[in-house]
Amino acid sequence: MKVTLSALNTSESSFTPLVVIELAQDVKEETKEWLKNRIIAKKKDGGAQLLFRPLLNKYEQETLENQNLYLVGASKIRMLLGAEAVGLVKECNDNTMRAFTYRTRQNFKGFDDNNDDFLTMAECQFIIKHELENLRAKDEKMIPGYPQAKLYPGKSLLRRLLTSGIVIQVFPLHDNEALKKLEDTWYTRFALKYQPIDSIRGYFGETIALYFGFLEYFTFALIPMAVIGLPYYLFVWEDYDKYVIFASFNLIWSTVILEVWKRGCADMTYRWGTLLMKRKFEEPRPGFHGVLGINPITGKEEPLYPSYKRQLRIYLVSLPFVCLCLYFSLYVMMIYFDLEVWALGLHENSGSEWTSVLLYVPSIIYAIVIEIMNRLYRYAAEFLTSWENHRLESAYQNHLILKVLVFNFLNCFASLFYIAFVLKDMKLLRQSLATLLITSQILNQIVESLLPYWLQRKHGVRVKRKMQALKADIDATLYEQVILEKEMGTYLGTFDDYLELFLQFGYVSLFSCVYPLAAAFAVLNNFTEVNSDALKMCRVFKRPFSEPSANIGVWQLAFETMSVISVVTNCALIGMSPQVNAIFPESKADLILIVVAVEHALLALKFILAFAIPDKPRHIQIKLARLEFESLEALKQQQMKLVTENLKEEPKESGKEKAT
């Protein structure tokens, strides 16, 4: 029998605060009371059945500054039932991974009625976030106290409160003791060592752990390219025909590392349980809106929105806007080339040391402009993708990533393709590639980590001085922590981090036969990137909500597509080299045919390697097949049981009909 929330008492007089909700200073009391009632109400009454209390009691509010902060938590039973509702997968006593159910909780490894560590803090915060986001309007026409904040059946209450400015933010709290332990094993000691990926997953969740796992793997995978590229850079700079071996190695390398990563990723996510999580019928994302109706697949009541309206928005508004932005990017690129011509002409006329330095200025300016344009376009892409009204978070992310990748690829690489295949200036190509790569790495380190860390340290000093000045006879430790964390920046997800690695992979793989030193610069950057990203996760940004992930998602496809494009680019560059052209002085058609044949052969080799290397290790395949077999057998037994019960009831019904 399935255990329901209504059947159990999930209330506690005190609880561990896990999530903070900050309301605006002028929020009306009736609105606060309504929000509190919706959060603590039972599920059957449309509530979240969570625990909720203000950060400060009445006495503390008189002593300290009232920030309109509220703490959210949940009882142990509520957490366990929430884990079943979101489909968390845990390890059983027989070493298999299965979806957790409250009824069979004793079968799971590490579970004990007196043990509060069965669910990690990150998992508990994910459950609370899931419940808060799925609080939806039923009969309310507006938010109490705010007639202008309209509601309709099925609208996400949290989303409406955020867009109306009633709720300022919702964020999970750090666990200072666990965070200190993680920092000690992660980045405080600068040494060449593997990251504690399992500990990162336990604290921040699978999505962030997968990013750091991929960053570490990609950095070590770049080392062979850096080691081989260094002598090519030092000794055979102009001999393009000698780069054939290096370019061929690059193409095989890019395929193998991505296939091997998929195997390692499957091994990790199976151990974490996310490889088995059922994500087929995801809940609607908080920003999704529509008319309340019944989902024909799940039978649940949820907002419904016609797909044709979404398609019209995509093709009539989003697509033209993206094309317009691409045109603007190309226009800026042509301005950059005009600056290059101006700087070169100035240098040729004067020939001084200052003008030789000036030759690098246009590339540096263009690299900065590219970073600014990428960030501005990102905001526009987020707005458009949200406006398209995608039902699932995965669909929203896929459309957003597609928009941003197309623009970033053209914005970052169009000038390099133009130099390589239109201007055919290899010296300018090397100079532009080096400038773009190094400048973008420096800017990212400053903007993403160093500047936010410096600002956060200044804010932390101000808050601590203020707390020391208070002469209140109370324990203000929790208050100080919440005040510190609420002013931290919000981590917007791994999107920008993966995008940085994607562009770096492009710089390394696309033009390897022209600038083999790119891999060495990427390795140096990534060794510092690991520590700077760890620093920003632990000390710069608020703790992000955990998000279960089975892989790196659409980024895997993006990297694989880039590796295919690199085949075409490297083959074309080698075919354009003077040494290769000297072999075919009269017949250029033969040269083109040979280059195309080599390109097709390398592409075929890539696809053969991708097919030959399984995405999942053999032992993972066996475990997944065994679980599928057991599920089918259990379903058969359940069906046989129902048939047997029906057969037993038939004679009784026949006897009754005969008596009638």
Side-chain angles (χ1 to χ4, degrees):
M1 187 179 84
K2 186 175 180 180
V3 181
T4 61
L5 280 169
S6 316
L8 294 169
N9 181 16
T10 59
S11 61
E12 286 184 2
S13 57
S14 62
F15 64 90
T16 302
L18 296 172
V19 174
V20 176
I21 297 178
E22 182 185 7
L23 302 182
Q25 286 296 323
D26 57 349
V27 172
K28 299 175 181 178
E29 288 300 323
E30 62 176 309
T31 309
K32 295 180 185 178
E33 192 64 24
W34 168 78
L35 178 60
K36 173 187 174 182
N37 292 333
R38 287 302 302 265
I39 290 175
I40 67 175
K42 292 187 176 182
K43 293 284 285 184
K44 65 178 183 179
D45 299 326
Q49 208 161 337
L50 300 173
L51 304 175
F52 181 86
R53 71 170 175 84
L55 173 64
L56 303 176
N57 59 36
K58 290 183 179 179
Y59 167 67
E60 292 169 338
Q61 287 178 15
E62 294 172 358
T63 311
L64 299 173
E65 183 182 354
N66 182 19
Q67 300 279 345
N68 255 355
L69 296 162
Y70 294 83
L71 305 176
V72 184
S75 66
K76 182 180 177 181
I77 296 175
R78 178 69 183 90
M79 283 299 183
L80 294 174
L81 292 169
E84 179 179 349
V86 299
L88 288 186
V89 174
K90 291 287 187 178
E91 187 177 5
C92 294
N93 293 322
D94 60 357
N95 297 323
T96 60
M97 305 296 295
R98 299 180 188 279
F100 176 80
T101 61
Y102 184 80
R103 184 175 56 83
T104 61
R105 60 191 182 280
Q106 299 295 342
N107 297 334
F108 289 86
K109 186 175 290 186
F111 181 84
D112 188 277
D113 288 325
N114 299 318
N115 179 20
D116 293 331
D117 298 327
F118 178 69
L119 296 176
T120 65
M121 189 175 182
E123 288 171 337
C124 293
Q125 289 168 335
F126 168 68
I127 292 167
I128 289 178
K129 172 177 174 278
H130 176 268
E131 296 298 339
L132 289 175
E133 287 181 342
N134 283 282
L135 275 175
R136 296 191 178 272
K138 286 198 167 184
D139 301 325
E140 303 99 328
K141 302 296 182 185
M142 64 177 187
I143 294 175
Y146 294 87
Q148 73 280 7
K150 303 295 183 184
L151 291 173
Y152 54 86
K155 176 68 177 177
S156 170
L157 296 181
L158 184 61
R159 179 80 175 188
R160 192 70 186 93
L161 289 165
L162 286 166
T163 55
S164 301
I166 299 169
V167 171
I168 303 299
Q169 59 180 332
V170 181
F171 62 93
L173 278 172
H174 274 292
D175 182 342
N176 290 326
E177 185 177 343
L179 182 62
K180 186 68 173 65
K181 290 180 181 177
L182 178 61
E183 288 177 318
D184 290 340
T185 59
W186 194 1
Y187 72 92
T188 52
R189 297 184 182 91
F190 289 91
L192 294 177
K193 60 180 181 179
Y194 290 108
Q195 298 177 89
I197 300 298
D198 287 333
S199 300
I200 297 170
R201 176 255 171 179
Y203 192 84
F204 288 110
E206 291 79 14
T207 298
I208 291 173
L210 279 175
Y211 162 70
F212 280 100
F214 182 74
L215 173 60
E216 177 182 87
Y217 172 81
F218 182 56
T219 303
F220 282 105
L222 281 168
I223 292 176
M225 285 288 293
V227 171
I228 295 173
L230 194 60
Y232 272 93
Y233 176 81
L234 295 174
F235 303 117
V236 289
W237 181 256
E238 296 296 339
D239 297 335
Y240 291 100
D241 56 326
K242 295 180 181 178
Y243 286 137
V244 174
I245 298 174
F246 180 70
S248 301
F249 174 78
N250 173 31
L251 302 175
I252 296 172
W253 164 85
S254 63
T255 303
V256 171
I257 65 164
L258 293 175
E259 293 301 318
V260 173
W261 161 254
K262 284 194 282 190
R263 292 171 61 85
C265 180
D267 196 31
M268 275 194 301
T269 53
Y270 177 83
R271 190 173 70 250
W272 296 341
T274 52
L275 187 64
L276 299 171
M277 282 189 73
K278 302 296 183 183
R279 301 300 295 261
K280 188 174 182 181
F281 301 116
E282 296 178 67
E283 292 285 343
R285 52 186 293 271
F288 177 66
H289 59 270
V291 179
L292 195 65
I294 302 297
N295 187 311
I297 299 173
T298 63
K300 293 182 179 179
E301 191 177 48
E302 64 177 47
L304 301 177
Y305 187 78
S307 60
Y308 77 89
K309 289 186 178 180
R310 185 180 304 112
Q311 298 301 320
L312 287 175
R313 291 185 175 191
I314 292 172
Y315 291 111
L316 297 182
V317 179
S318 297
L319 185 59
F321 177 80
V322 172
C323 292
L324 182 64
C325 291
L326 295 177
Y327 172 79
F328 180 74
S329 174
L330 292 174
Y331 182 77
V332 172
M333 181 189 75
M334 298 312 297
I335 295 175
Y336 155 66
F337 285 121
D338 290 339
L339 288 174
E340 285 283 1
V341 172
W342 171 78
L344 184 61
L346 194 65
H347 176 67
E348 289 176 349
N349 291 332
S350 62
S352 64
E353 293 182 2
W354 286 105
T355 55
S356 62
V357 174
L358 189 66
L359 290 173
Y360 292 91
V361 172
S363 295
I364 294 173
I365 294 174
Y366 185 51
I368 295 171
V369 170
I370 283 176
E371 289 297 319
I372 294 172
M373 288 171 63
N374 285 344
R375 294 181 186 278
L376 291 176
Y377 176 81
R378 167 74 186 275
Y379 294 122
E382 285 178 345
F383 173 80
L384 275 178
T385 311
S386 179
W387 178 71
E388 289 166 6
N389 195 27
H390 296 279
R391 177 183 177 272
L392 302 181
E393 183 64 29
S394 56
Y396 170 84
Q397 290 295 333
N398 289 342
H399 281 79
L400 176 61
I401 289 171
L402 180 61
K403 288 186 184 71
V404 175
L405 279 186
V406 169
F407 181 81
N408 277 258
F409 181 84
L410 187 76
N411 203 26
C412 295
F413 298 113
S415 61
L416 300 178
F417 280 101
Y418 187 83
I419 295 170
F421 301 114
V422 178
L423 300 180
K424 299 181 181 179
D425 188 341
M426 296 301 123
K427 184 178 179 181
L428 180 58
L429 179 61
R430 288 194 297 270
Q431 174 190 314
S432 298
L433 178 58
T435 307
L436 285 173
L437 178 63
I438 296 169
T439 305
S440 64
Q441 289 177 347
I442 294 172
L443 286 175
N444 282 324
Q445 293 279 7
I446 294 173
V447 173
E448 289 184 5
S449 299
L450 298 180
L451 181 61
Y453 179 68
W454 178 71
L455 293 173
Q456 179 56 32
R457 285 290 298 269
K458 288 188 68 177
H459 171 70
V461 170
R462 287 198 304 269
V463 171
K464 287 180 180 179
R465 285 176 181 170
K466 186 176 181 180
M467 296 303 299
Q468 290 171 359
L470 290 170
K471 297 179 180 180
D473 188 20
I474 61 170
D475 180 14
T477 306
L478 178 60
Y479 177 78
E480 180 182 352
Q481 179 188 351
V482 173
I483 297 301
L484 274 170
E485 291 185 21
K486 85 180 186 68
E487 296 297 333
M488 288 180 170
T490 301
Y491 182 66
L492 299 175
T494 56
F495 185 95
D496 289 327
D497 298 313
Y498 277 119
L499 181 62
E500 185 180 346
L501 291 180
F502 172 77
L503 296 176
Q504 186 185 91
F505 181 70
Y507 288 130
V508 171
S509 61
L510 289 178
F511 302 100
S512 58
C513 61
V514 175
Y515 192 63
L517 204 60
F521 279 116
V523 170
L524 291 174
N525 174 78
N526 288 358
F527 274 122
T528 59
E529 184 81 16
V530 169
N531 292 287
S532 62
D533 282 353
L535 174 68
K536 77 180 182 184
M537 292 303 307
C538 295
R539 293 297 170 186
V540 175
F541 292 114
K542 296 183 187 72
R543 183 179 186 172
F545 280 105
S546 167
E547 286 292 340
S549 295
N551 48 55
I552 63 174
V554 73
W555 290 106
Q556 181 76 36
L557 178 61
F559 278 88
E560 290 172 352
T561 304
M562 181 68 82
S563 70
V564 171
I565 297 173
S566 70
V567 173
V568 181
T569 305
N570 281 280
C571 289
L573 287 172
I574 292 172
M576 289 168 54
S577 67
Q579 290 80 6
V580 174
N581 273 266
I583 302 173
F584 304 92
E586 296 179 357
S587 178
K588 297 299 180 185
D590 292 342
L591 173 60
I592 294 172
L593 288 174
I594 290 174
V595 169
V596 171
V598 171
E599 172 209 316
H600 280 60
L602 288 171
L603 284 174
L605 179 61
K606 282 178 67 69
F607 290 123
I608 290 170
L609 284 172
F611 179 77
I613 302 174
D615 291 350
K616 299 180 180 68
R618 178 65 179 167
H619 68 280
I620 299 295
Q621 293 179 21
I622 293 172
K623 289 177 180 177
L624 293 175
R626 186 184 301 158
L627 283 173
E628 186 177 358
F629 172 76
E630 290 175 359
S631 298
L632 290 172
E633 287 298 306
L635 184 61
K636 286 179 182 177
Q637 291 178 6
Q638 187 178 6
Q639 289 175 340
M640 288 296 294
K641 185 178 179 181
L642 289 172
V643 170
T644 305
E645 290 176 354
N646 289 335
L647 288 173
K648 287 180 180 178
E649 291 176 0
E650 278 183 6
K652 296 179 181 178
E653 292 176 358
S654 300
K656 288 180 181 179
E657 290 174 2
K658 193 173 183 180
T660 304

